[in-house]
Amino acid sequence: MPQTLSLDPLIAKLREIHHIRDAAALLSWDQETHMPAGSGQARAEQLATLQTLAHDTFVSADITSLLAQWIDLDTGTPLSSQKSLPHHQQALLRETWQDFRKARKLPSAFVTRLERECSLAQQVWTQARQQNNFKAFLPNLRSIVALKLEETQYLGYTDSPYDALLDTYEPDVTVAQIRPLFATLRERLVALLGDILNSPTIPDASILSQSFDTTKQLTFGKMILDAMGYDFDRGRLDLSAHPFTTSFHPTDVRITTRVFERDLPSCLFSCLHEGGHGLYEQGLNAEQYGTPLGETISLGIHESQSRLWENCVGRSKAFWKHFFPILQNIFPEQLTSVSLDAFYAAINHVTPSLIRVEADELTYNLHVMLRFEIELELIEGRIQVKELPSLWNEKMNEYLGIIPDNDADGVLQDVHWSLGAFGYFPTYTLGNLYAAMLFEQASKDIQDLPRSIATGQLLSLKTWLNQNIHQYGRQFPADGLVHTITKTHLTPEPFLNYLTSKMKALYA
Ligand code: ZN
């Protein structure tokens, strides 16, 4: 009798690779939270070794022969051995092959160079930003851009080298799709922004920059994370210069925030935002750990989870019906005389500003478009790295009508380029669009969702996201999954409708 093939040996190997990657992720988390500044060089070497080891193991003869039992390694065509497998296992093979196909194109020595350069560049960037010194970061950024261009050559592309980079964050999405999508969005957002700026209504956002005890802010942030269903037995909240989420397993998902005495929204909304990312990671199927079925689909879908909680929930009137009285109790001196309506207007205040992560829901997308266009020019070779600061300022003026008076608040503000994350920014706006689509659908599927939210009951929404998105890992592609849930393909309409009706109510 012929022996039945099993996926188990392949899955065991994939898990081993994940163990290496997760050890590297823990080192990166530590670099951002606790690592002494003096060990930067050593950490870069450690990370480069681990990532190279993970890469080499993934493209090794072992995985190659295991995968070749199921799939044509050159074309990705399933072999007849797959016929008896259930859909989710076929998806596991499909996605593993996609990763394998891309990884095999990158030489091991290149992976080492890229990883080392990025870890170092990130540390140089941190200092350059603090010292407002773009020139100090320029040589590192030049090397990174050169490495990313080299990467596009290895990965290959049809239309634009940018597609090769975008694909690593948002599979199947191309420049040709993003351009018209962003053009529509930009036109409608700029018109809406014009109306808002002409409105006589100006919310008083200064109530948010009174003195708020930072320990109390953190306590309140944790309370909201608890209400969202973020499991502190399988996660933790730490402080870092830039809030982020990282995961080593669904049982160890860590988020960070930052807290400023005179900036109430910063800690609050970063907790909601990272909490949304964290729920996605905690909601993955632990039994599928190490395989694509235990991984998140794409950055756009990841960001849809964070923006849904941060904006659709956290910037809604319903949410604050329950949570504002609690916040008033924590900060009676600052907030007793502030009405719910005034607070709601303040946290939704739309105004052109310099910093992306602190931007309102509307102008945020203009920040993203500016970065997308600059990256595209750079990767397609029409501009040079040294031109970035002036181009940045030009575009800020064009998009938002303001110009930063220093590079720290301009071209140096984001960590992404130091990490080699070119092609990442568009996923933020995709996340906003997906978030609106998903929240619209959740509001139809969950009975009385606004009323639940208004009584602080957030778990029905968490469960809906667990069931519709998180549990599947990468079983379905992003657009396919969203289409299954909402019966529509990616569209800006739900986002524009949501934003327009909210702003109409706020700005009359
Ligand atoms: Zn995010």
Side-chain angles (χ1 to χ4, degrees), residues 97-296:
W97 177 76
Q98 286 290 358
D99 296 344
F100 180 79
R101 180 181 66 87
K102 289 174 199 167
R104 206 162 51 153
K105 293 177 178 173
L106 301 178
S108 175
F110 172 77
V111 174
T112 311
R113 277 191 290 138
L114 180 65
E115 189 63 35
R116 188 187 292 133
E117 184 56 42
C118 290
S119 178
L120 285 176
Q122 197 193 347
Q123 297 169 47
V124 174
W125 166 79
T126 306
Q127 283 210 336
R129 187 181 182 221
Q130 273 164 11
Q131 295 158 2
N132 183 29
N133 184 356
F134 181 77
K135 280 215 173 84
F137 181 49
L138 186 61
N140 298 76
L141 189 53
R142 269 203 192 111
S143 323
I144 295 226
V145 171
L147 283 163
K148 295 312 275 189
L149 287 174
E150 192 181 336
E151 188 178 338
T152 65
Q153 295 307 311
Y154 294 132
L155 292 172
Y157 53 87
T158 312
D159 295 331
S160 166
Y162 194 84
D163 286 338
L165 303 177
L166 188 55
D167 187 67
T168 57
Y169 302 112
E170 201 65 27
D172 308 325
V173 172
T174 60
V175 171
Q177 273 172 284
I178 297 227
R179 271 221 170 101
L181 185 70
F182 279 16
T184 311
L185 203 55
R186 185 185 167 190
E187 199 187 303
R188 301 266 298 269
L189 290 177
V190 167
L192 186 58
L193 180 62
D195 290 346
I196 290 171
L197 296 179
N198 284 327
S199 159
T201 314
I202 300 169
D204 178 11
S206 71
I207 52 173
L208 305 173
S209 48
Q210 304 175 73
S211 164
F212 294 95
D213 179 81
T214 53
T215 311
K216 288 181 182 171
Q217 284 193 52
L218 281 169
T219 307
F220 185 67
K222 278 188 184 157
M223 195 200 79
I224 285 178
L225 284 163
D226 257 329
M228 288 166 67
Y230 177 82
D231 182 354
F232 278 96
D233 283 337
R234 296 186 290 138
R236 50 181 289 136
L237 177 68
D238 291 271
L239 294 175
S240 67
H242 300 274
F244 68 96
T245 299
T246 187
S247 167
F248 321 123
H249 190 271
T251 57
D252 190 350
V253 176
R254 304 185 185 192
I255 58 178
T256 70
T257 184
R258 55 183 169 193
V259 59
F260 304 107
E261 187 191 327
R262 291 193 169 270
D263 184 355
L264 186 66
S266 185
C267 175
L268 179 60
F269 290 109
S270 65
C271 282
L272 276 151
H273 182 100
E274 302 308 330
H277 283 306
L279 287 184
Y280 190 6
E281 297 282 354
Q282 288 187 339
L284 292 170
N285 184 348
E287 283 174 21
Q288 293 293 348
Y289 168 78
T291 82
L293 302 183
E295 291 173 349
T296 58

Side-chain angles (χ1 to χ4, degrees), residues 382-401:
R382 283 187 296 274
I383 56 162
Q384 294 189 344
V385 176
K386 64 169 192 256
E387 296 171 74
L388 286 178
S390 58
L391 187 63
W392 183 283
N393 294 351
E394 237 170 70
K395 289 212 178 262
M396 276 300 288
N397 194 24
E398 184 194 335
Y399 276 72
L400 290 155

Side-chain angles (χ1 to χ4, degrees), residues 24-38:
L26 182 55
L27 286 185
S28 296
W29 172 83
D30 175 73
Q31 180 176 314
E32 297 304 299
T33 51
H34 297 298
M35 186 187 84

